[in-house]
Amino acid sequence: MPGTPAPQVRPPLPPFTEADALAKVQAAEDAWNTRDPDRVALAYTEDSVWRNRDTFVTGRAEIRRFLAEKWGRELDYALRKELWSFGDDRIAVRFQYEWHDADGGHWRSYGNELWEFDATGLMCRREASINDVPIRAEERRIFGPRPLEQRGDALPLA
């Protein structure tokens, strides 16, 4: 139909190979480390459904708002993601991120995510379970985006 925008496509597309799944995980890490809610929200379908801890979010506009609020609270946020498992249109990820709050408290957040993708490569479902652990500022080990020479490195467990 004239005037109808073409659907957004975000390769790699399902069904995923291991290389595809690794690329999706690294792309997500890279995008989230920008802390740009507009950019990050574009990876999700217009009607994407999220569970993030105890918060339920539906749709790209709500995702954008959620992320803007998150990064307004979680200052100097820096993330590392690692592929855990994958299937045709699903990927499981473990991650860690570090941040500090407005009161100067430092935190390391550990989590697991389950992702489901539609045929265009956009994420239509995200389930995230996350735990926050207080740390001292000198215990931080994640500072900004992952350097190129560290891509593909496994996360330390503690």
Side-chain angles (χ1 to χ4, degrees):
M1 171 185 280
T4 302
Q8 182 182 357
V9 177
R10 188 164 295 245
L13 307 177
F16 297 126
T17 64
E18 183 177 10
D20 293 337
L22 287 166
K24 280 289 197 194
V25 171
Q26 188 62 62
E29 178 184 302
D30 292 344
W32 280 63
N33 274 325
T34 68
R35 300 185 303 259
D36 179 344
D38 294 320
R39 175 180 173 187
V40 173
L42 292 175
Y44 303 93
T45 61
E46 288 288 347
D47 60 351
S48 186
V49 176
W50 278 26
R51 180 187 58 78
N52 193 89
R53 302 174 191 248
D54 61 351
T55 302
F56 296 83
V57 179
T58 301
R60 194 179 283 165
E62 284 187 29
I63 291 168
R64 188 178 293 112
R65 271 192 301 279
F66 173 87
L67 292 172
E69 290 171 7
K70 170 187 179 60
W71 291 321
R73 287 186 315 273
E74 296 178 355
L75 307 174
D76 293 326
Y77 172 100
L79 167 72
R80 297 293 183 270
K81 291 184 180 281
E82 182 180 351
L83 176 65
W84 190 259
S85 182
F86 70 97
D88 287 344
D89 64 350
R90 295 179 182 184
I91 296 175
V93 175
R94 74 178 188 145
F95 62 88
Q96 295 175 25
Y97 64 90
E98 294 177 349
W99 54 284
H100 67 86
D101 58 33
D103 295 328
H106 288 263
W107 303 88
R108 182 173 302 125
S109 300
Y110 296 90
N112 300 296
E113 293 176 304
L114 303 175
W115 299 343
E116 182 178 356
F117 295 86
D118 72 4
T120 68
L122 294 173
M123 194 182 302
C124 57
R125 185 167 194 84
R126 175 181 174 266
E127 302 273 342
S129 297
I130 307 167
N131 298 302
D132 301 318
V133 176
I135 60 173
R136 294 184 317 274
E138 58 272 13
E139 292 178 294
R140 280 198 76 168
R141 59 177 182 237
I142 303 173
F143 301 95
R146 184 187 305 253
L148 291 177
E149 66 273 7
Q150 292 179 10
R151 289 182 180 238
D153 287 355
L155 296 167
L157 296 176

